[in-house]
Structures are given as C-alpha cells and as structure tokens.
Amino acid sequence: LILCAALLTCACSHPMSVVSVDGEQFFGRYRFGREGTGLMQVYGPENEVLIGRFIRVDRTVFAQDYEKAFGRRTIETDGPDLSRHGNAFGGLLGNSSTFHETAYAEPIHGIPSQSVSGPLFYWTASLQGDRRMVLGCFLIGSAYTGHGFGRCKSQTGKEFHVDF
C-alpha cells in the first residue's frame, strides 16, 4: 500500500531544474493542483529543501511583479494579454482557433536563449526552505507542452534560472 502511494505521488509530478548565476545546478519537481495552482519542491544549495505553492496570474500582474523583483525594463510584453481570457488549456485538445503567444528568455550567464509558444500561462511562486532560504519565482509555460522557463530571486538577492 505504501509503495503504491509513493508511485502515484511520483507519477503526478514533473521534473524541473534550477541553475544559479554561479552555475550551481539544483533539481526539483512540480505538480498541478486545482484552479491554476500547484506545488513546487526544489533541492537547493547545501541540500536545503524548498517547498511552496505556485499560482496562476494574468500577464499584466506577472510583468509588474517581475519588474519589482528584477528591475525596470527586465521584461517586455507585446500584443494582447491572452492570459486573462478563458482557460489557457482550452486549445490543448485540438481547438485550432486558440490564439498563440511566444515568450523569449535571453541568454544570461552562459544559459542559452529559450522560447516557449502556444497559449501561455504565467505563474508566481514563493518557496520556503527548511533552513530559512526564501525564493520568489516567476514562471512562463506553454499550455500545449506544459514546459517553460522562469527566474527566481532569493531574499539575499541571488538569482536563479528555472527550466521546467
């Protein structure tokens, strides 16, 4: 019974990687919850376990909060904010009339540029470590693939790049 519960828990989670600007690589996982929320768990520096919840926000709120965390002009948006209209996962099962967006991340500190397309979702997350580390994260993903990228910042100002 315990083995079955462990297998079911692992089967519902998806892998993610977190890379510091110093080049340290950490791994974690996330899983979806209800109404655009979910849980994240990252094994961070010195084996600290960071756990938190992510929530879905519209693109305008995402961009405003991102600029507060990383500075003015660190993110650009263009075109209509499609995250406000309906369910981003609505086109997942073959609705070809769904609008598409594309997000790009420029190369930073040796991490190559990335892009993600489709109906996009925007998440913010706050992760708390078991040794008092706190990360504020901003994630952009594709409703078609479920994959995306993001950026996190610790309370001490250290930055991390996320790939999920």
Side-chain angles (χ1 to χ4, degrees):
L1 182 63
I2 294 173
L3 180 61
C4 287
L7 288 175
L8 287 174
T9 303
C10 293
C12 296
S13 65
H14 307 280
M16 63 188 316
S17 64
V18 179
V19 180
S20 75
V21 295
D22 303 335
E24 296 176 284
Q25 188 164 4
F26 309 107
F27 297 97
R29 58 188 174 177
Y30 68 98
R31 68 180 172 134
F32 296 106
R34 293 182 183 171
E35 300 176 9
T37 66
L39 299 173
M40 292 174 60
Q41 180 180 36
V42 175
Y43 301 96
E46 300 175 18
N47 294 319
E48 183 169 8
V49 179
L50 296 114
I51 298 174
R53 189 176 143 216
F54 60 82
I55 59 169
R56 189 164 171 200
V57 296
D58 67 50
R59 186 179 76 185
T60 303
V61 170
F62 180 90
Q64 289 170 349
D65 290 348
Y66 189 96
E67 283 191 336
K68 285 179 189 174
F70 297 105
R72 290 183 51 99
R73 300 187 187 267
T74 54
I75 189 169
E76 292 182 29
T77 59
D78 189 25
D81 184 359
L82 301 177
S83 65
R84 293 182 184 199
H85 306 288
N87 182 0
F89 295 98
L92 187 60
L93 300 176
N95 184 350
S96 62
S97 64
T98 303
F99 290 106
H100 292 230
E101 298 175 279
T102 302
Y104 303 94
E106 294 186 14
I108 299 174
H109 306 291
I111 298 170
S113 63
Q114 297 175 301
S115 68
V116 62
S117 294
L120 299 180
F121 53 84
Y122 302 88
W123 291 333
T124 58
S126 179
L127 306 177
Q128 176 75 45
D130 57 355
R131 296 188 199 139
R132 300 187 188 244
M133 183 176 189
V134 176
L135 285 182
C137 298
F138 299 85
L139 308 162
I140 302 172
S142 170
Y144 285 154
T145 65
H147 297 289
F149 55 83
R151 195 169 169 187
C152 298
K153 191 172 194 178
S154 73
Q155 78 273 26
T156 61
K158 189 170 184 177
E159 293 186 20
F160 300 86
H161 300 277
V162 181
D163 185 28
F164 63 95

